[in-house]
Amino acid sequence: MGEPQAVADDLEALIDDMDYLPGHFHLELQLNLEPRSPAALRARDLKLQREGLRQELGLAAAPQRPAVRHLLGALAFHLEELDEARARFLEVAREDPCNLNAWANLAHVHGRLGQEDEEEACAARLASLMGLEADPEAAREAQLRAARCLAEQGYAHGFDVGCAGLEERARVLAAGIALYDKALGYGQQVPAEEKRGWYFTMATFFIRLDGIFMELGSEEQKRLSAFNRTLALLRQVLKSSDPHYKALAWCYLGMLLERKDTFSTTPMGVHDCGYSGTDPLDCFGKAIEIAKDQPLILNRLAKIFHFLGKQDMATGTCNMALDVLRDPELNGQAYCTRAKIHIRAYLHDLERAKLGLGGMPDRNHLACAKADLEEVVKVCPGFRTYLDISQVYYYMGVDAVQELLAVDEAALNQALVFLAKAGESELGATLPEVPLLRGKCLRVKGEEANAAACFKRAVELDDAGTGRAEGFGCLLEALLSQWSQEQLSDGELGCEVDTWLRRAQDKYPEACLRQELQRVWRGRTDEVLGLARALVAQGRLALVRLLFETMERDGGGASAPRGRRALSC
């Protein structure tokens, strides 16, 4: 046996006696487990996550960049881009030759490539760094390397791919926090500023975890200790010299102080950390003040404000970012976020109008969004920008009541042109939003058969467990329209509905599916009753039962069916 192999065997024995294991490919992440989704959809999700991480790399402080690069390498590995994965891990090893995860990950990649000599050499290097050949004086450095190894692994848990539901996401986030806690146990020698970066990531995980607990309706006692700890972590992050950490810490503190009212009594952490009289708006203001000259941080804040529903604050922050850097090629994010704010405002007013709760939505929002997105499309187009501007043109082209009438044929055609460009990209071709919006455009243009084909594709591309079943609802409406226009027979309609409803039942949560069926029932009561009669005649009783259970939950009575097709059996 050669010397590298002997060291590798010794390394394996050493690891058996340790409470951590370097590398990312053994972590209990969905990323490392057998895929649940088809290969094409998993590849799409991995690439979307990679796109977000590349943006994260631009904002990350120097000590955190290895963690980002490791995860980029792991994503490349699972995409079978082994040369790219190796390059990412080598990049970390060159910058920090003592990085444990770099050598463990490189060994894994070389093993997959069948390069045994290189794999053994990486294992030997890892053994040396973990203390197998170290003298007692090197113990401090070994502890520091272990701490950083664990922190990098903890970071990866915030970017897992393929979690099936909220409970699973919560488990992964909790595991990431536990790894950071273990890292802190090893990390007495870690510089204070580097630790503050860890505290920031931990606080981010805790905030996401708290959001999941709120969504699940968990008891407040389950949230309380983590909430108090998050406040303490952010208090430490506020001492950071990094404006990115400091600005976002103030923003997150504002979020938590707003959430304190979701508890029956104010959490003690608010008082323990000295925030008893602190106004959340003051926290948001301090965040903006710190970031006022840094467009990348302002853009991050704007996205958070947009997510929180603080649209005026988000718009003002985008404007500040554009005042600093107006070039759309360098600061396209500010234009895109501001456009999303206008789109969201229009859609909010549109939904209220549909429910009879408000007047017609202000179409000036669409004009503003269009102007911003056109600035970006000119210089740095991408599938996301194409999709956003397609959405704007779609709403410009349809009526602002039921989205069933074309009011601007040219706008609808322009939406279809941009959707075609979005679909040309590898990622755009796998996003359900693209065929869904294309189907809506074609439906308004009267091309029901083409629209139905697009909606089918949208359902196929939806992830299992997704909370939006809009593609299926639109498909059902398109099939009903074809049937009422005698483009489909009763038998053809029954077969289509049977096939796609069963697919939908396998893909969407029951509550989401019922909500979408309810929407179709409300808008097309007569046709749904006619559909039910056709299904009964064909013996498809299980589907009829689901439809009528949905009608009963709606609480509305059925009007007598009108029209020949509604009476058909």
Side-chain angles (χ1 to χ4, degrees):
M1 181 182 294
E3 182 179 346
Q5 181 61 48
V7 176
D9 291 341
D10 290 340
L11 173 63
E12 188 173 336
L14 173 68
I15 287 172
D16 288 339
D17 296 329
M18 303 186 72
D19 64 347
Y20 76 97
L21 178 63
H24 284 64
F25 296 103
H26 69 280
L27 300 175
E28 292 186 10
L29 299 171
Q30 283 302 319
L31 179 67
N32 292 328
L33 301 179
E34 191 68 25
R36 293 168 171 164
S37 56
L41 299 191
R42 176 174 167 82
R44 174 200 67 193
D45 295 341
L46 293 173
K47 289 174 182 176
L48 287 172
Q49 189 71 279
R50 181 166 65 180
E51 182 185 87
L53 277 168
R54 284 170 175 165
Q55 296 176 2
E56 197 74 22
L57 189 60
L59 273 173
Q64 196 176 54
R65 286 176 199 148
V68 183
R69 291 189 176 113
H70 280 307
L71 195 46
L72 285 169
L75 292 172
F77 179 89
H78 287 293
L79 285 166
E80 299 296 331
E81 299 174 6
L82 300 185
D83 289 340
E84 169 68 13
R86 179 173 53 189
R88 287 292 184 180
F89 299 139
L90 277 173
E91 191 176 5
V92 177
R94 289 188 184 113
E95 289 187 5
D96 178 11
C98 295
N99 188 287
L100 300 182
N101 286 320
W103 296 107
N105 290 334
L106 278 169
H108 192 82
V109 173
H110 286 305
R112 172 65 69 87
L113 290 169
Q115 299 168 341
E116 294 183 7
D117 291 344
E118 291 85 347
E119 180 185 8
E120 291 171 3
C122 290
R125 176 64 173 155
L126 181 60
S128 174
L129 292 172
M130 292 181 71
L132 187 61
E133 300 171 357
D135 54 58
E137 287 74 21
R140 283 178 53 187
E141 284 299 316
Q143 292 276 307
L144 179 59
R145 289 194 287 269
R148 287 172 173 159
C149 169
L150 289 161
E152 290 165 0
Q153 292 175 344
Y155 179 86
H157 286 68
F159 299 88
D160 199 5
V161 175
C163 292
L166 295 176
E167 292 88 351
E168 195 167 288
R169 290 193 189 96
R171 180 193 63 77
V172 171
L173 288 171
I177 292 167
L179 283 168
Y180 270 108
D181 279 331
K182 188 179 286 189
L184 291 169
Y186 277 95
Q188 290 81 4
Q189 308 303 320
V190 176
E193 188 63 21
E194 186 174 350
K195 274 190 182 179
R196 290 175 188 133
W198 297 3
Y199 296 149
F200 173 79
T201 304
M202 292 175 73
T204 303
F205 286 11
F206 272 123
I207 290 170
R208 290 168 59 185
L209 198 56
D210 187 61
I212 291 173
F213 288 152
M214 291 174 67
E215 194 170 345
L216 292 173
S218 302
E219 295 180 1
E220 67 175 51
Q221 285 301 317
K222 188 173 183 179
R223 299 173 51 210
L224 192 57
S225 61
F227 187 91
N228 289 333
R229 189 175 179 200
T230 311
L231 288 169
L233 288 168
L234 290 175
R235 188 183 185 193
Q236 294 301 315
V237 179
L238 290 175
K239 300 174 184 178
S240 174
S241 59
D242 187 310
H244 171 233
Y245 288 147
K246 198 166 185 177
L248 289 185
W250 276 114
C251 181
Y252 290 164
L253 179 59
M255 290 171 59
L256 289 180
L257 293 178
E258 287 186 332
R259 285 187 188 179
K260 78 179 190 298
D261 296 330
T262 62
F263 293 91
S264 57
T265 185
T266 300
M268 276 303 298
V270 175
H271 305 304
D272 292 341
C273 294
Y275 300 130
S276 305
T278 304
D279 189 319
L281 285 177
D282 289 339
C283 297
F284 297 136
K286 288 178 180 178
I288 294 171
E289 177 64 23
I290 291 168
K292 63 183 179 181
D293 297 322
Q294 304 201 44
L296 289 179
I297 304 176
L298 287 169
N299 288 337
R300 177 64 64 89
L301 291 173
K303 290 178 73 173
I304 295 172
F305 296 147
H306 176 50
F307 172 77
L308 294 174
K310 303 179 184 301
Q311 306 307 341
D312 289 342
M313 195 178 295
T315 301
T317 309
C318 286
N319 291 341
M320 288 179 66
L322 290 170
D323 287 341
V324 177
L325 182 60
R326 190 157 292 275
D327 186 341
E329 190 169 6
L330 300 175
N331 195 19
Q333 183 63 65
Y335 287 98
C336 290
T337 301
R338 193 167 66 177
K340 287 180 183 293
I341 294 167
H342 284 295
I343 293 170
R344 181 168 175 176
Y346 180 83
L347 294 181
H348 175 267
D349 293 345
L350 177 61
E351 289 305 312
R352 288 180 56 82
K354 288 180 179 179
L355 296 172
L357 300 176
M360 300 293 283
D362 184 0
R363 296 178 80 86
N364 185 55
H365 284 302
L366 299 178
C368 293
K370 173 176 169 287
D372 278 339
L373 291 170
E374 284 180 339
E375 289 291 328
V376 181
V377 165
K378 290 175 187 174
V379 292
C380 51
F383 74 91
R384 290 187 183 278
T385 313
Y386 284 140
L387 182 56
D388 287 341
I389 200 168
S390 298
Q391 187 180 27
V392 171
Y393 273 111
Y394 164 73
Y395 285 109
M396 291 174 67
V398 299
D399 69 281
V401 181
Q402 295 297 328
E403 298 178 42
L404 295 175
L405 299 174
V407 297
D408 187 340
E409 189 81 17
L412 287 173
N413 289 334
Q414 192 60 54
L416 288 168
V417 169
F418 281 121
L419 284 169
K421 292 181 178 181
E424 289 173 1
S425 71
E426 185 180 8
L427 281 174
T430 59
L431 289 175
E433 292 89 343
V434 173
L436 177 62
L437 188 54
R438 180 182 287 125
K440 287 183 175 182
C441 292
L442 295 173
R443 179 179 61 185
V444 175
K445 288 168 68 68
E447 300 179 23
E448 299 291 352
N450 288 337
C454 290
F455 296 139
K456 289 176 183 177
R457 181 59 177 158
V459 172
E460 290 172 345
L461 292 175
D462 267 333
D463 290 319
T466 184
R468 285 179 59 85
E470 186 181 6
F472 171 73
C474 289
L475 172 59
L476 187 56
E477 289 176 320
L479 293 173
L480 287 171
S481 293
Q482 286 182 274
W483 177 65
S484 65
Q485 296 167 22
E486 302 189 13
Q487 296 175 12
L488 290 178
S489 67
D490 289 3
E492 290 170 330
L493 175 68
C495 183
E496 289 275 23
V497 171
D498 182 39
T499 298
W500 288 95
L501 185 53
R502 290 186 187 279
R503 283 199 187 187
Q505 287 175 313
D506 291 338
K507 180 157 288 194
Y508 306 110
E510 184 177 335
C512 298
L513 187 57
R514 287 186 183 279
Q515 184 178 12
E516 200 59 30
L517 288 172
Q518 188 179 76
R519 182 185 66 79
V520 177
W521 151 252
R522 287 174 177 173
R524 295 173 175 264
T525 304
D526 295 346
E527 289 167 300
V528 171
L529 287 172
L531 168 64
R533 288 184 172 86
L535 294 175
V536 168
Q538 297 168 43
R540 307 183 193 277
L541 301 182
L543 304 181
V544 173
R545 188 178 299 114
L546 178 61
L547 284 167
F548 275 96
E549 285 174 359
T550 302
M551 296 175 194
E552 288 175 4
R553 294 191 181 201
D554 191 31
S559 62
R562 299 181 300 274
R564 190 190 69 76
R565 293 296 289 179
L567 290 168
S568 176
C569 291

